[in-house]
């Protein structure tokens, strides 16, 4: 019996193969799913060798978006999916966050101005979006095929 040598992609032909740098996860729009989403982010960042600070920022931004989807988009939760796609390149993390909640752009300038004005009189709500916006180098929103789609690159 002839046994073939094991295949090692990292050493094939002397070419370096990158770590897994893109991953997608899907979660129900329920608060109890947030723990799974956090674990998904942490596992991705560890596997892609993302610097700890960038991983913490990714987790915080996703947490804020996730909580807003559950609390406000689905009024406390639903089985509607939330999709999270993470990418890493050169220590920088980019993400795409999608949900099926009613259209809402948390990064629009009018939304930001409204939330900042309400922050002085409200005790809860809105500040997470402002915080998340401050952690991003770029943010893009679209409503496509019945989904809110937010693309972010972390600062």
């Amino acid at each position: 019996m002839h046994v073939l040598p094991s295949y090692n992609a990292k050493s094939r032909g002397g070419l370096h193969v990158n770590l897994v740098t893109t991953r997608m996860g899907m979660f129900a729009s329920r608060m109890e799913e947030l723990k799974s989403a956090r674990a998904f982010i942490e596992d991705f960042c560890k596997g892609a060798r993302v610097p700890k600070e960038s991983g913490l920022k990714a987790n915080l931004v996703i947490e804020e978006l996730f909580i807003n989807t559950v609390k406000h988009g689905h009024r406390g939760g639903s089985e509607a999916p939330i999709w999270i796609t993470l990418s890493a390149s050169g220590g920088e993390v980019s993400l795409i966050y999608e949900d099926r909640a009613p259209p809402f752009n948390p990064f629009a300038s009018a939304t930001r101005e409204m939330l900042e004005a309400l922050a002085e009189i409200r005790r809860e709500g809105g500040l997470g979006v402002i915080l998340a916006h401050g952690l991003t180098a770029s943010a893009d929103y679209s409503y496509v095929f019945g989904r809110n789609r937010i693309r972010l690159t972390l600062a």
Side-chain angles (χ1 to χ4, degrees):
M1 178 165 127
H2 178 57
V3 178
L4 296 174
S6 63
Y7 176 72
N8 182 347
K10 290 184 180 182
S11 65
R12 180 144 162 55
L15 298 174
H16 177 71
V17 176
N18 290 332
L19 298 169
V20 174
T21 55
T22 300
R23 191 178 301 165
M24 177 187 238
M26 186 174 74
F27 309 90
S29 299
R30 300 204 167 279
M31 289 304 283
E32 55 270 17
E33 286 288 302
L34 182 56
K35 183 176 181 180
S36 296
R38 285 184 188 138
F40 168 76
I41 297 161
E42 290 167 6
D43 184 55
F44 170 80
C45 290
K46 182 179 177 184
R49 295 187 182 156
V50 170
K52 186 174 183 172
E53 184 178 329
S54 295
L56 292 172
K57 287 179 183 180
N59 229 326
L60 180 59
V61 169
I62 292 292
E63 181 175 330
E64 291 302 328
L65 294 171
F66 200 102
I67 290 170
N68 284 343
T69 296
V70 174
K71 280 187 170 183
H72 306 295
H74 293 293
R75 307 280 184 224
S78 81
E79 293 303 312
I82 293 172
W83 296 271
I84 300 170
T85 304
L86 300 168
S87 299
S89 178
E92 186 174 82
V93 177
S94 296
L95 61 95
I96 300 172
Y97 179 92
E98 298 176 287
D99 66 32
R100 289 203 176 269
F104 178 71
N105 180 358
F107 295 101
S109 60
T111 302
R112 183 179 171 89
E113 291 167 10
M114 176 191 70
L115 292 173
E116 287 173 344
L118 290 174
E120 294 181 19
I121 59 174
R122 292 179 63 186
R123 296 172 120 176
E124 182 182 331
L127 296 177
V129 170
I130 294 169
L131 174 65
H133 191 274
L135 296 175
T136 61
S138 67
D140 175 64
Y141 170 84
S142 59
Y143 190 76
V144 182
F145 304 116
R147 295 182 188 184
N148 290 292
R149 179 179 293 158
I150 298 170
R151 295 179 202 204
L152 305 170
T153 301
L154 299 176

